[in-house]
Amino acid sequence: DAKTTQPTSMDCAEGRAANLPCNHSTISGNEYVYWYRQIHSQGPQYIIHGLKNNETNEMASLIITEDRKSSTLILPHATLRDTAVYYCIVRVLGSARQLTFGSGTQLTVLP
Amino acid sequence: GAVVSQHPSRVICKSGTSVKIECRSLDFQATTMFWYRQFPKQSLMLMATSNEGSKATYEQGVEKDKFLINHASLTLSTLTVTSAHPEDSSFYICSAQRGTTSDYGYTFGSGTRLTVV
């Protein structure tokens, strides 16, 4: 799986959009970008994934650059409950291998 | 859908005793489950891959005789920490894959906080 690079930490004001970047310059053509988050002392939670088109669901939006070398996870209206570590993971869809977690980004939503 | 139940959520045990952690897929069958360990302020580290009906595959550096994994059915995998020591205190998390073509990747349990005293 391609390696990803994320900032160590970010702050965001409550109610504002949180934009979390991820670099994956070595991504292969058949690899998807997945985002998970881990709230303190809980298991990781799936957020969203995409290949090359922008994606949106009830939790977030995923913007992938045209060259697919980077992406941004957008939480449109961050709440205090969105405070968590966010992981960007690149992998082939349907792969039977495990998810490999990097260090992720600690997002702190401030009141 | 795709719920993974992990029990217990917290356990405190004495040094030298064994602890069993259960991971159940509630509404789907999981041929493969994964066990992770997470130390404070660190990321998740894969310990082993559990396949139904066969022996688990352990990552390098993980003692298979200490961390016993059993995946006897398509909905249940267990991790037993044998002869636990304080250095085994950690957050243990299981995950299950819903088939190999799921768009949602993996579902994780809520984790087990093990404290060995």
mmCIF file of all heavy atoms in Angstrom, chain B residues 6 10-21 35-40 45 47 61-68 79-93 112-117:
data_model
loop_
_atom_site.group_PDB
_atom_site.id
_atom_site.type_symbol
_atom_site.label_atom_id
_atom_site.label_comp_id
_atom_site.label_asym_id
_atom_site.label_seq_id
_atom_site.Cartn_x
_atom_site.Cartn_y
_atom_site.Cartn_z
ATOM 1 N N GLN B 6 -16.983 -6.142 20.651
ATOM 2 C CA GLN B 6 -15.764 -6.582 21.330
ATOM 3 C C GLN B 6 -15.980 -6.509 22.836
ATOM 4 O O GLN B 6 -16.428 -5.490 23.365
ATOM 5 C CB GLN B 6 -14.582 -5.708 20.915
ATOM 6 C CG GLN B 6 -13.254 -6.172 21.477
ATOM 7 C CD GLN B 6 -12.068 -5.383 20.922
ATOM 8 O OE1 GLN B 6 -12.170 -4.691 19.903
ATOM 9 N NE2 GLN B 6 -10.942 -5.477 21.589
ATOM 10 N N ARG B 10 -13.133 -3.196 29.241
ATOM 11 C CA ARG B 10 -12.022 -2.936 30.165
ATOM 12 C C ARG B 10 -11.800 -4.179 31.010
ATOM 13 O O ARG B 10 -12.751 -4.850 31.391
ATOM 14 C CB ARG B 10 -12.341 -1.773 31.103
ATOM 15 C CG ARG B 10 -12.402 -0.424 30.452
ATOM 16 C CD ARG B 10 -12.747 0.642 31.480
ATOM 17 N NE ARG B 10 -12.747 1.973 30.889
ATOM 18 C CZ ARG B 10 -11.686 2.747 30.838
ATOM 19 N NH1 ARG B 10 -10.544 2.339 31.353
ATOM 20 N NH2 ARG B 10 -11.754 3.935 30.290
ATOM 21 N N VAL B 11 -10.555 -4.474 31.290
ATOM 22 C CA VAL B 11 -10.251 -5.591 32.178
ATOM 23 C C VAL B 11 -8.960 -5.298 32.917
ATOM 24 O O VAL B 11 -8.004 -4.790 32.342
ATOM 25 C CB VAL B 11 -10.171 -6.920 31.400
ATOM 26 C CG1 VAL B 11 -9.119 -6.868 30.309
ATOM 27 C CG2 VAL B 11 -9.933 -8.085 32.333
ATOM 28 N N ILE B 12 -8.999 -5.615 34.197
ATOM 29 C CA ILE B 12 -7.809 -5.514 35.039
ATOM 30 C C ILE B 12 -7.499 -6.909 35.546
ATOM 31 O O ILE B 12 -8.387 -7.587 36.068
ATOM 32 C CB ILE B 12 -8.038 -4.553 36.220
ATOM 33 C CG1 ILE B 12 -8.392 -3.161 35.717
ATOM 34 C CG2 ILE B 12 -6.796 -4.502 37.115
ATOM 35 C CD1 ILE B 12 -8.787 -2.192 36.822
ATOM 36 N N CYS B 13 -6.280 -7.336 35.360
ATOM 37 C CA CYS B 13 -5.923 -8.675 35.816
ATOM 38 C C CYS B 13 -4.590 -8.649 36.539
ATOM 39 O O CYS B 13 -3.810 -7.704 36.389
ATOM 40 C CB CYS B 13 -5.877 -9.646 34.641
ATOM 41 S SG CYS B 13 -4.484 -9.411 33.524
ATOM 42 N N LYS B 14 -4.381 -9.684 37.292
ATOM 43 C CA LYS B 14 -3.119 -9.786 38.018
ATOM 44 C C LYS B 14 -2.041 -10.374 37.123
ATOM 45 O O LYS B 14 -2.318 -11.183 36.227
ATOM 46 C CB LYS B 14 -3.296 -10.657 39.267
ATOM 47 C CG LYS B 14 -4.179 -10.038 40.332
ATOM 48 C CD LYS B 14 -4.225 -10.921 41.573
ATOM 49 C CE LYS B 14 -5.065 -10.272 42.671
ATOM 50 N NZ LYS B 14 -5.111 -11.119 43.907
ATOM 51 N N SER B 15 -0.834 -9.976 37.376
ATOM 52 C CA SER B 15 0.298 -10.482 36.618
ATOM 53 C C SER B 15 0.361 -11.999 36.729
ATOM 54 O O SER B 15 0.180 -12.565 37.810
ATOM 55 C CB SER B 15 1.588 -9.865 37.161
ATOM 56 O OG SER B 15 2.687 -10.239 36.371
ATOM 57 N N GLY B 16 0.550 -12.658 35.608
ATOM 58 C CA GLY B 16 0.629 -14.105 35.575
ATOM 59 C C GLY B 16 -0.655 -14.801 35.188
ATOM 60 O O GLY B 16 -0.641 -16.008 34.879
ATOM 61 N N THR B 17 -1.745 -14.084 35.193
ATOM 62 C CA THR B 17 -3.027 -14.682 34.814
ATOM 63 C C THR B 17 -3.268 -14.484 33.316
ATOM 64 O O THR B 17 -2.527 -13.773 32.637
ATOM 65 C CB THR B 17 -4.184 -14.074 35.615
ATOM 66 O OG1 THR B 17 -4.264 -12.671 35.332
ATOM 67 C CG2 THR B 17 -3.966 -14.265 37.113
ATOM 68 N N SER B 18 -4.324 -15.134 32.827
ATOM 69 C CA SER B 18 -4.672 -15.046 31.407
ATOM 70 C C SER B 18 -5.978 -14.294 31.232
ATOM 71 O O SER B 18 -6.859 -14.338 32.097
ATOM 72 C CB SER B 18 -4.787 -16.441 30.797
ATOM 73 O OG SER B 18 -3.541 -17.116 30.837
ATOM 74 N N VAL B 19 -6.089 -13.626 30.130
ATOM 75 C CA VAL B 19 -7.285 -12.836 29.824
ATOM 76 C C VAL B 19 -7.750 -13.149 28.413
ATOM 77 O O VAL B 19 -6.930 -13.183 27.489
ATOM 78 C CB VAL B 19 -6.990 -11.323 29.933
ATOM 79 C CG1 VAL B 19 -8.184 -10.514 29.471
ATOM 80 C CG2 VAL B 19 -6.609 -10.963 31.356
ATOM 81 N N LYS B 20 -9.046 -13.357 28.257
ATOM 82 C CA LYS B 20 -9.606 -13.638 26.931
ATOM 83 C C LYS B 20 -10.436 -12.451 26.468
ATOM 84 O O LYS B 20 -11.283 -11.936 27.211
ATOM 85 C CB LYS B 20 -10.469 -14.889 26.945
ATOM 86 C CG LYS B 20 -11.097 -15.207 25.576
ATOM 87 C CD LYS B 20 -12.018 -16.410 25.630
ATOM 88 C CE LYS B 20 -11.268 -17.685 25.707
ATOM 89 N NZ LYS B 20 -12.150 -18.867 25.578
ATOM 90 N N ILE B 21 -10.217 -12.044 25.234
ATOM 91 C CA ILE B 21 -10.967 -10.952 24.616
ATOM 92 C C ILE B 21 -11.732 -11.529 23.426
ATOM 93 O O ILE B 21 -11.160 -12.249 22.605
ATOM 94 C CB ILE B 21 -10.023 -9.836 24.138
ATOM 95 C CG1 ILE B 21 -9.208 -9.302 25.311
ATOM 96 C CG2 ILE B 21 -10.813 -8.708 23.478
ATOM 97 C CD1 ILE B 21 -8.071 -8.363 24.888
ATOM 98 N N TRP B 35 -6.274 -8.413 14.611
ATOM 99 C CA TRP B 35 -6.080 -7.943 15.971
ATOM 100 C C TRP B 35 -4.955 -6.919 15.994
ATOM 101 O O TRP B 35 -3.856 -7.152 15.475
ATOM 102 C CB TRP B 35 -5.740 -9.108 16.902
ATOM 103 C CG TRP B 35 -6.927 -9.981 17.175
ATOM 104 C CD1 TRP B 35 -7.279 -11.124 16.522
ATOM 105 C CD2 TRP B 35 -7.927 -9.771 18.168
ATOM 106 N NE1 TRP B 35 -8.440 -11.631 17.043
ATOM 107 C CE2 TRP B 35 -8.863 -10.834 18.063
ATOM 108 C CE3 TRP B 35 -8.133 -8.802 19.150
ATOM 109 C CZ2 TRP B 35 -9.967 -10.927 18.892
ATOM 110 C CZ3 TRP B 35 -9.230 -8.903 19.978
ATOM 111 C CH2 TRP B 35 -10.138 -9.963 19.840
ATOM 112 N N TYR B 36 -5.272 -5.767 16.607
ATOM 113 C CA TYR B 36 -4.307 -4.684 16.720
ATOM 114 C C TYR B 36 -4.038 -4.397 18.199
ATOM 115 O O TYR B 36 -4.852 -4.685 19.070
ATOM 116 C CB TYR B 36 -4.847 -3.399 16.084
ATOM 117 C CG TYR B 36 -5.030 -3.439 14.580
ATOM 118 C CD1 TYR B 36 -6.173 -3.996 14.008
ATOM 119 C CD2 TYR B 36 -4.085 -2.884 13.724
ATOM 120 C CE1 TYR B 36 -6.344 -4.014 12.631
ATOM 121 C CE2 TYR B 36 -4.254 -2.889 12.346
ATOM 122 C CZ TYR B 36 -5.387 -3.455 11.813
ATOM 123 O OH TYR B 36 -5.566 -3.465 10.454
ATOM 124 N N ARG B 37 -2.916 -3.764 18.430
ATOM 125 C CA ARG B 37 -2.569 -3.294 19.767
ATOM 126 C C ARG B 37 -2.163 -1.831 19.642
ATOM 127 O O ARG B 37 -1.511 -1.439 18.665
ATOM 128 C CB ARG B 37 -1.418 -4.134 20.330
ATOM 129 C CG ARG B 37 -0.969 -3.737 21.723
ATOM 130 C CD ARG B 37 -0.022 -4.774 22.298
ATOM 131 N NE ARG B 37 1.097 -5.081 21.441
ATOM 132 C CZ ARG B 37 2.019 -5.994 21.719
ATOM 133 N NH1 ARG B 37 1.922 -6.692 22.836
ATOM 134 N NH2 ARG B 37 3.004 -6.223 20.900
ATOM 135 N N GLN B 38 -2.550 -1.059 20.622
ATOM 136 C CA GLN B 38 -2.248 0.362 20.579
ATOM 137 C C GLN B 38 -1.774 0.828 21.947
ATOM 138 O O GLN B 38 -2.516 0.750 22.932
ATOM 139 C CB GLN B 38 -3.487 1.157 20.151
ATOM 140 C CG GLN B 38 -3.235 2.636 19.948
ATOM 141 C CD GLN B 38 -4.470 3.352 19.421
ATOM 142 O OE1 GLN B 38 -5.599 2.995 19.747
ATOM 143 N NE2 GLN B 38 -4.270 4.379 18.595
ATOM 144 N N PHE B 39 -0.568 1.323 21.990
ATOM 145 C CA PHE B 39 -0.018 1.898 23.220
ATOM 146 C C PHE B 39 -0.357 3.381 23.247
ATOM 147 O O PHE B 39 -0.647 3.987 22.202
ATOM 148 C CB PHE B 39 1.480 1.653 23.293
ATOM 149 C CG PHE B 39 1.833 0.198 23.489
ATOM 150 C CD1 PHE B 39 2.371 -0.558 22.453
ATOM 151 C CD2 PHE B 39 1.607 -0.426 24.705
ATOM 152 C CE1 PHE B 39 2.680 -1.900 22.621
ATOM 153 C CE2 PHE B 39 1.919 -1.772 24.889
ATOM 154 C CZ PHE B 39 2.449 -2.507 23.838
ATOM 155 N N PRO B 40 -0.318 3.993 24.447
ATOM 156 C CA PRO B 40 -0.717 5.399 24.576
ATOM 157 C C PRO B 40 0.029 6.303 23.601
ATOM 158 O O PRO B 40 1.241 6.191 23.422
ATOM 159 C CB PRO B 40 -0.366 5.719 26.027
ATOM 160 C CG PRO B 40 -0.498 4.403 26.729
ATOM 161 C CD PRO B 40 -0.008 3.387 25.750
ATOM 162 N N MET B 45 -1.042 -0.957 15.835
ATOM 163 C CA MET B 45 -0.059 -1.870 15.268
ATOM 164 C C MET B 45 -0.702 -3.244 15.132
ATOM 165 O O MET B 45 -1.238 -3.787 16.097
ATOM 166 C CB MET B 45 1.178 -1.951 16.153
ATOM 167 C CG MET B 45 1.949 -0.651 16.239
ATOM 168 S SD MET B 45 2.593 -0.110 14.636
ATOM 169 C CE MET B 45 3.753 -1.433 14.298
ATOM 170 N N MET B 47 -1.176 -7.030 15.178
ATOM 171 C CA MET B 47 -0.560 -8.143 15.885
ATOM 172 C C MET B 47 -0.656 -9.425 15.064
ATOM 173 O O MET B 47 0.309 -10.167 14.925
ATOM 174 C CB MET B 47 -1.253 -8.383 17.225
ATOM 175 C CG MET B 47 -1.172 -7.244 18.198
ATOM 176 S SD MET B 47 -2.109 -7.596 19.679
ATOM 177 C CE MET B 47 -1.211 -9.007 20.340
ATOM 178 N N GLY B 61 7.703 -10.310 15.690
ATOM 179 C CA GLY B 61 7.881 -9.774 17.029
ATOM 180 C C GLY B 61 6.730 -10.053 17.973
ATOM 181 O O GLY B 61 6.830 -9.757 19.171
ATOM 182 N N VAL B 62 5.643 -10.609 17.477
ATOM 183 C CA VAL B 62 4.499 -10.942 18.327
ATOM 184 C C VAL B 62 4.585 -12.425 18.695
ATOM 185 O O VAL B 62 4.646 -13.284 17.815
ATOM 186 C CB VAL B 62 3.167 -10.661 17.597
ATOM 187 C CG1 VAL B 62 1.990 -11.070 18.470
ATOM 188 C CG2 VAL B 62 3.077 -9.190 17.235
ATOM 189 N N GLU B 63 4.583 -12.700 19.985
ATOM 190 C CA GLU B 63 4.730 -14.080 20.437
ATOM 191 C C GLU B 63 3.419 -14.842 20.292
ATOM 192 O O GLU B 63 2.437 -14.560 20.973
ATOM 193 C CB GLU B 63 5.161 -14.088 21.901
ATOM 194 C CG GLU B 63 6.473 -13.380 22.176
ATOM 195 C CD GLU B 63 6.767 -13.342 23.662
ATOM 196 O OE1 GLU B 63 6.830 -14.425 24.276
ATOM 197 O OE2 GLU B 63 6.908 -12.230 24.223
ATOM 198 N N LYS B 64 3.411 -15.829 19.435
ATOM 199 C CA LYS B 64 2.178 -16.570 19.185
ATOM 200 C C LYS B 64 1.765 -17.424 20.375
ATOM 201 O O LYS B 64 0.582 -17.728 20.555
ATOM 202 C CB LYS B 64 2.326 -17.446 17.941
ATOM 203 C CG LYS B 64 3.407 -18.501 18.038
ATOM 204 C CD LYS B 64 3.471 -19.302 16.747
ATOM 205 C CE LYS B 64 4.529 -20.380 16.815
ATOM 206 N NZ LYS B 64 4.613 -21.165 15.548
ATOM 207 N N ASP B 65 2.732 -17.819 21.194
ATOM 208 C CA ASP B 65 2.385 -18.624 22.372
ATOM 209 C C ASP B 65 1.856 -17.761 23.513
ATOM 210 O O ASP B 65 1.248 -18.276 24.449
ATOM 211 C CB ASP B 65 3.608 -19.402 22.847
ATOM 212 C CG ASP B 65 4.045 -20.437 21.848
ATOM 213 O OD1 ASP B 65 3.173 -20.941 21.103
ATOM 214 O OD2 ASP B 65 5.250 -20.744 21.781
ATOM 215 N N LYS B 66 2.073 -16.481 23.430
ATOM 216 C CA LYS B 66 1.592 -15.576 24.460
ATOM 217 C C LYS B 66 0.229 -14.999 24.080
ATOM 218 O O LYS B 66 -0.628 -14.807 24.920
ATOM 219 C CB LYS B 66 2.585 -14.441 24.665
ATOM 220 C CG LYS B 66 2.157 -13.460 25.738
ATOM 221 C CD LYS B 66 3.255 -12.480 26.039
ATOM 222 C CE LYS B 66 2.859 -11.593 27.194
ATOM 223 N NZ LYS B 66 2.584 -12.358 28.425
ATOM 224 N N PHE B 67 0.066 -14.731 22.825
ATOM 225 C CA PHE B 67 -1.180 -14.153 22.324
ATOM 226 C C PHE B 67 -1.873 -15.214 21.454
ATOM 227 O O PHE B 67 -1.640 -15.308 20.254
ATOM 228 C CB PHE B 67 -0.909 -12.885 21.523
ATOM 229 C CG PHE B 67 -0.259 -11.792 22.319
ATOM 230 C CD1 PHE B 67 1.117 -11.588 22.252
ATOM 231 C CD2 PHE B 67 -1.013 -10.977 23.146
ATOM 232 C CE1 PHE B 67 1.727 -10.579 22.994
ATOM 233 C CE2 PHE B 67 -0.418 -9.964 23.891
ATOM 234 C CZ PHE B 67 0.954 -9.769 23.823
ATOM 235 N N LEU B 68 -2.735 -15.977 22.116
ATOM 236 C CA LEU B 68 -3.402 -17.078 21.440
ATOM 237 C C LEU B 68 -4.663 -16.577 20.739
ATOM 238 O O LEU B 68 -5.499 -15.939 21.351
ATOM 239 C CB LEU B 68 -3.769 -18.172 22.446
ATOM 240 C CG LEU B 68 -2.600 -18.791 23.225
ATOM 241 C CD1 LEU B 68 -3.117 -19.847 24.180
ATOM 242 C CD2 LEU B 68 -1.562 -19.368 22.286
ATOM 243 N N LEU B 79 -8.932 -13.516 21.373
ATOM 244 C CA LEU B 79 -7.520 -13.280 21.668
ATOM 245 C C LEU B 79 -7.325 -13.540 23.148
ATOM 246 O O LEU B 79 -7.988 -12.917 23.976
ATOM 247 C CB LEU B 79 -7.131 -11.845 21.327
ATOM 248 C CG LEU B 79 -5.773 -11.365 21.840
ATOM 249 C CD1 LEU B 79 -4.639 -12.108 21.139
ATOM 250 C CD2 LEU B 79 -5.615 -9.854 21.637
ATOM 251 N N THR B 80 -6.449 -14.475 23.467
ATOM 252 C CA THR B 80 -6.139 -14.766 24.863
ATOM 253 C C THR B 80 -4.714 -14.335 25.150
ATOM 254 O O THR B 80 -3.778 -14.807 24.494
ATOM 255 C CB THR B 80 -6.306 -16.268 25.175
ATOM 256 O OG1 THR B 80 -7.654 -16.659 24.904
ATOM 257 C CG2 THR B 80 -5.995 -16.540 26.641
ATOM 258 N N VAL B 81 -4.584 -13.441 26.096
ATOM 259 C CA VAL B 81 -3.258 -13.009 26.548
ATOM 260 C C VAL B 81 -2.882 -13.918 27.702
ATOM 261 O O VAL B 81 -3.502 -13.877 28.777
ATOM 262 C CB VAL B 81 -3.267 -11.539 26.987
ATOM 263 C CG1 VAL B 81 -1.864 -11.103 27.397
ATOM 264 C CG2 VAL B 81 -3.818 -10.644 25.889
ATOM 265 N N THR B 82 -1.912 -14.764 27.490
ATOM 266 C CA THR B 82 -1.525 -15.736 28.506
ATOM 267 C C THR B 82 -0.391 -15.200 29.364
ATOM 268 O O THR B 82 0.466 -14.450 28.884
ATOM 269 C CB THR B 82 -1.086 -17.054 27.854
ATOM 270 O OG1 THR B 82 0.079 -16.806 27.054
ATOM 271 C CG2 THR B 82 -2.190 -17.623 26.973
ATOM 272 N N SER B 83 -0.427 -15.590 30.634
ATOM 273 C CA SER B 83 0.599 -15.163 31.580
ATOM 274 C C SER B 83 0.904 -13.670 31.406
ATOM 275 O O SER B 83 2.045 -13.277 31.094
ATOM 276 C CB SER B 83 1.870 -15.990 31.389
ATOM 277 O OG SER B 83 2.837 -15.694 32.383
ATOM 278 N N ALA B 84 -0.122 -12.891 31.591
ATOM 279 C CA ALA B 84 0.000 -11.454 31.328
ATOM 280 C C ALA B 84 0.984 -10.784 32.273
ATOM 281 O O ALA B 84 1.104 -11.143 33.451
ATOM 282 C CB ALA B 84 -1.369 -10.802 31.454
ATOM 283 N N HIS B 85 1.685 -9.803 31.753
ATOM 284 C CA HIS B 85 2.627 -9.004 32.529
ATOM 285 C C HIS B 85 2.288 -7.531 32.339
ATOM 286 O O HIS B 85 1.611 -7.164 31.365
ATOM 287 C CB HIS B 85 4.061 -9.309 32.098
ATOM 288 C CG HIS B 85 4.504 -10.682 32.467
ATOM 289 N ND1 HIS B 85 4.851 -11.027 33.754
ATOM 290 C CD2 HIS B 85 4.631 -11.809 31.733
ATOM 291 C CE1 HIS B 85 5.192 -12.312 33.792
ATOM 292 N NE2 HIS B 85 5.055 -12.803 32.577
ATOM 293 N N PRO B 86 2.763 -6.692 33.216
ATOM 294 C CA PRO B 86 2.435 -5.255 33.110
ATOM 295 C C PRO B 86 2.741 -4.657 31.731
ATOM 296 O O PRO B 86 2.010 -3.779 31.265
ATOM 297 C CB PRO B 86 3.290 -4.626 34.212
ATOM 298 C CG PRO B 86 3.369 -5.694 35.262
ATOM 299 C CD PRO B 86 3.472 -6.977 34.487
ATOM 300 N N GLU B 87 3.777 -5.141 31.071
ATOM 301 C CA GLU B 87 4.110 -4.596 29.750
ATOM 302 C C GLU B 87 3.089 -4.978 28.678
ATOM 303 O O GLU B 87 3.120 -4.433 27.568
ATOM 304 C CB GLU B 87 5.509 -5.045 29.310
ATOM 305 C CG GLU B 87 5.712 -6.534 29.277
ATOM 306 C CD GLU B 87 6.337 -7.064 30.558
ATOM 307 O OE1 GLU B 87 6.086 -6.478 31.638
ATOM 308 O OE2 GLU B 87 7.066 -8.071 30.467
ATOM 309 N N ASP B 88 2.190 -5.919 29.015
ATOM 310 C CA ASP B 88 1.106 -6.274 28.076
ATOM 311 C C ASP B 88 -0.073 -5.321 28.194
ATOM 312 O O ASP B 88 -1.028 -5.398 27.398
ATOM 313 C CB ASP B 88 0.619 -7.704 28.332
ATOM 314 C CG ASP B 88 1.718 -8.727 28.127
ATOM 315 O OD1 ASP B 88 2.542 -8.535 27.203
ATOM 316 O OD2 ASP B 88 1.764 -9.711 28.890
ATOM 317 N N SER B 89 -0.024 -4.444 29.192
ATOM 318 C CA SER B 89 -1.095 -3.466 29.340
ATOM 319 C C SER B 89 -1.156 -2.599 28.096
ATOM 320 O O SER B 89 -0.153 -2.004 27.678
ATOM 321 C CB SER B 89 -0.831 -2.590 30.573
ATOM 322 O OG SER B 89 -0.840 -3.369 31.751
ATOM 323 N N SER B 90 -2.332 -2.560 27.494
ATOM 324 C CA SER B 90 -2.465 -1.844 26.228
ATOM 325 C C SER B 90 -3.939 -1.793 25.840
ATOM 326 O O SER B 90 -4.799 -2.311 26.554
ATOM 327 C CB SER B 90 -1.662 -2.558 25.138
ATOM 328 O OG SER B 90 -1.637 -1.804 23.940
ATOM 329 N N PHE B 91 -4.198 -1.185 24.705
ATOM 330 C CA PHE B 91 -5.547 -1.134 24.126
ATOM 331 C C PHE B 91 -5.560 -2.101 22.954
ATOM 332 O O PHE B 91 -4.782 -1.948 22.014
ATOM 333 C CB PHE B 91 -5.836 0.298 23.673
ATOM 334 C CG PHE B 91 -7.267 0.575 23.318
ATOM 335 C CD1 PHE B 91 -8.291 0.288 24.203
ATOM 336 C CD2 PHE B 91 -7.599 1.145 22.098
ATOM 337 C CE1 PHE B 91 -9.619 0.556 23.885
ATOM 338 C CE2 PHE B 91 -8.920 1.422 21.762
ATOM 339 C CZ PHE B 91 -9.924 1.116 22.657
ATOM 340 N N TYR B 92 -6.410 -3.113 23.038
ATOM 341 C CA TYR B 92 -6.467 -4.141 22.004
ATOM 342 C C TYR B 92 -7.745 -3.938 21.189
ATOM 343 O O TYR B 92 -8.831 -3.782 21.747
ATOM 344 C CB TYR B 92 -6.449 -5.539 22.624
ATOM 345 C CG TYR B 92 -5.131 -5.862 23.288
ATOM 346 C CD1 TYR B 92 -4.878 -5.485 24.607
ATOM 347 C CD2 TYR B 92 -4.125 -6.519 22.585
ATOM 348 C CE1 TYR B 92 -3.661 -5.760 25.207
ATOM 349 C CE2 TYR B 92 -2.906 -6.801 23.180
ATOM 350 C CZ TYR B 92 -2.683 -6.419 24.490
ATOM 351 O OH TYR B 92 -1.466 -6.683 25.074
ATOM 352 N N ILE B 93 -7.596 -3.979 19.873
ATOM 353 C CA ILE B 93 -8.721 -3.707 18.984
ATOM 354 C C ILE B 93 -8.785 -4.780 17.914
ATOM 355 O O ILE B 93 -7.765 -5.151 17.326
ATOM 356 C CB ILE B 93 -8.557 -2.335 18.290
ATOM 357 C CG1 ILE B 93 -8.299 -1.229 19.311
ATOM 358 C CG2 ILE B 93 -9.784 -1.988 17.445
ATOM 359 C CD1 ILE B 93 -7.817 0.066 18.689
ATOM 360 N N THR B 112 -10.534 -3.041 23.759
ATOM 361 C CA THR B 112 -10.439 -3.555 25.130
ATOM 362 C C THR B 112 -9.220 -2.946 25.797
ATOM 363 O O THR B 112 -8.100 -3.096 25.300
ATOM 364 C CB THR B 112 -10.304 -5.091 25.145
ATOM 365 O OG1 THR B 112 -11.481 -5.670 24.569
ATOM 366 C CG2 THR B 112 -10.112 -5.600 26.565
ATOM 367 N N ARG B 113 -9.468 -2.271 26.896
ATOM 368 C CA ARG B 113 -8.357 -1.683 27.668
ATOM 369 C C ARG B 113 -7.901 -2.706 28.699
ATOM 370 O O ARG B 113 -8.632 -3.013 29.628
ATOM 371 C CB ARG B 113 -8.819 -0.412 28.359
ATOM 372 C CG ARG B 113 -7.763 0.231 29.266
ATOM 373 C CD ARG B 113 -6.725 0.957 28.471
ATOM 374 N NE ARG B 113 -7.289 2.013 27.643
ATOM 375 C CZ ARG B 113 -6.621 2.661 26.706
ATOM 376 N NH1 ARG B 113 -5.357 2.356 26.467
ATOM 377 N NH2 ARG B 113 -7.207 3.607 26.001
ATOM 378 N N LEU B 114 -6.724 -3.264 28.492
ATOM 379 C CA LEU B 114 -6.167 -4.254 29.416
ATOM 380 C C LEU B 114 -5.150 -3.594 30.322
ATOM 381 O O LEU B 114 -4.206 -2.960 29.839
ATOM 382 C CB LEU B 114 -5.516 -5.404 28.647
ATOM 383 C CG LEU B 114 -4.704 -6.410 29.483
ATOM 384 C CD1 LEU B 114 -5.600 -7.131 30.479
ATOM 385 C CD2 LEU B 114 -3.980 -7.405 28.589
ATOM 386 N N THR B 115 -5.347 -3.776 31.611
ATOM 387 C CA THR B 115 -4.388 -3.300 32.600
ATOM 388 C C THR B 115 -3.936 -4.489 33.431
ATOM 389 O O THR B 115 -4.761 -5.184 34.019
ATOM 390 C CB THR B 115 -5.002 -2.240 33.520
ATOM 391 O OG1 THR B 115 -5.498 -1.160 32.724
ATOM 392 C CG2 THR B 115 -3.976 -1.715 34.512
ATOM 393 N N VAL B 116 -2.651 -4.741 33.435
ATOM 394 C CA VAL B 116 -2.086 -5.846 34.192
ATOM 395 C C VAL B 116 -1.374 -5.265 35.407
ATOM 396 O O VAL B 116 -0.473 -4.420 35.263
ATOM 397 C CB VAL B 116 -1.113 -6.680 33.346
ATOM 398 C CG1 VAL B 116 -0.611 -7.887 34.145
ATOM 399 C CG2 VAL B 116 -1.782 -7.135 32.056
ATOM 400 N N VAL B 117 -1.787 -5.717 36.584
ATOM 401 C CA VAL B 117 -1.207 -5.159 37.820
ATOM 402 C C VAL B 117 -0.389 -6.205 38.574
ATOM 403 O O VAL B 117 -0.478 -7.387 38.311
ATOM 404 C CB VAL B 117 -2.315 -4.596 38.728
ATOM 405 C CG1 VAL B 117 -3.052 -3.465 38.038
ATOM 406 C CG2 VAL B 117 -3.282 -5.702 39.139
#
